[in-house]
């Protein structure tokens, strides 16, 4: 009986493109954590560095929404299951803001050094999403007014920092995009509850201070 069940699981895995973990991850984000997600456009199979969307100069190949659009992001388990049953290898895109986590991202090399500096200060961080080129620190939802006041009060903000708030998005693990594999640099703690994330003020203050103090020159990518 075990052999039959094992064979059935392997057949289902092949039928679903060999990526059953994508559906499992998408369901965790949407149904358990209440993070609105949707499938991203796939990378171009003829060239992984290119995107499957019509834009030949796409800067985030395979890591953005296209069809459906960002407004379709949902926490509905049935919709999520339907999407990834039909598109089992599609990247998982989180629609940031609107009650869902937002993010602050910066180039990977600068991010690694900044996180090391933050660890030495005892700064508590939540999950950190990493691609080969950029890392994104998840933060609590914030308004554009709140972000504007925060940045206005700064003498210096690295131009390489990007803010993913209302109307924004990021790709989540274990997505495979034209930029490479998306992974957890700091994984959420196991459990059914949505992971804790810090406020944007604490993260921006700490990251700017860490980059300035360590003399990290973060390229504007």
């Amino acid at each position: 009986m075990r052999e039959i069940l094992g064979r059935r699981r392997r057949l289902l895995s092949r039928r679903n493109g060999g990526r059953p973990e994508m559906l499992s991850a998408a369901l965790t984000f949407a149904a358990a954590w209440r993070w609105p997600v949707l499938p991203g456009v796939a990378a171009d199979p003829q060239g992984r560095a290119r995107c499957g969307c019509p834009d030949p100069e796409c800067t985030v190949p395979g890591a953005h929404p296209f069809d459906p659009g960002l407004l379709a992001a949902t926490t509905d388990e049935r919709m999520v299951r339907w999407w990834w049953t039909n598109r089992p290898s599609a990247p998982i895109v989180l629609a940031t803001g609107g009650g869902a986590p937002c993010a602050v991202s910066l180039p990977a090399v600068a991010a690694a050094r900044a996180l090391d500096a933050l660890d030495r200060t005892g700064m508590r961080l939540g999950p950190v999403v990493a691609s080969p080129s950029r890392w994104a620190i998840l933060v609590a939802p914030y308004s554009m007014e709140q972000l504007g006041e925060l940045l206005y009060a700064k003498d210096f903000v690295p131009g390489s920092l990007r803010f993913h708030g209302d109307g924004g998005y990021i790709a989540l693990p274990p997505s495979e995009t034209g930029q490479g594999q998306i992974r957890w640099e700091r994984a959420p703690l196991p459990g059914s509850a949505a992971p804790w994330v810090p406020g944007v003020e604490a993260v921006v203050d700490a990251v700017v201070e860490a980059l300035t103090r360590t003399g990290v020159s973060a390229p504007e990518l």
Side-chain angles (χ1 to χ4, degrees), residues 114 118 121 123 154 201-211 213:
L118 298 183
T121 67
M123 170 74 183
K154 292 289 180 190
E201 301 94 339
V203 168
V204 171
D205 287 347
V207 167
V208 170
E209 181 181 351
L211 293 178
R213 185 175 61 249

Side-chain angles (χ1 to χ4, degrees), residues 28-29 33 35 94 96 100-106 111 115 118-119 123-131 134-141 164 170-173 182-191 193-200 203 207:
T28 296
F29 300 141
W33 295 356
W35 291 2
L94 167 69
T96 55
C102 296
V104 177
S105 71
L106 64 162
L115 260 60
L118 298 183
D119 287 341
M123 170 74 183
R124 182 188 179 192
L125 292 175
V128 177
V129 177
S131 76
R134 293 186 72 85
W135 292 6
I137 304 170
L138 298 189
V139 298
H164 310 260
I170 61 169
L172 293 175
I182 307 297
R183 61 179 178 81
W184 294 114
E185 174 61 27
R186 300 286 174 88
L189 295 176
W196 175 87
V197 291
V200 66
V203 168
V207 167

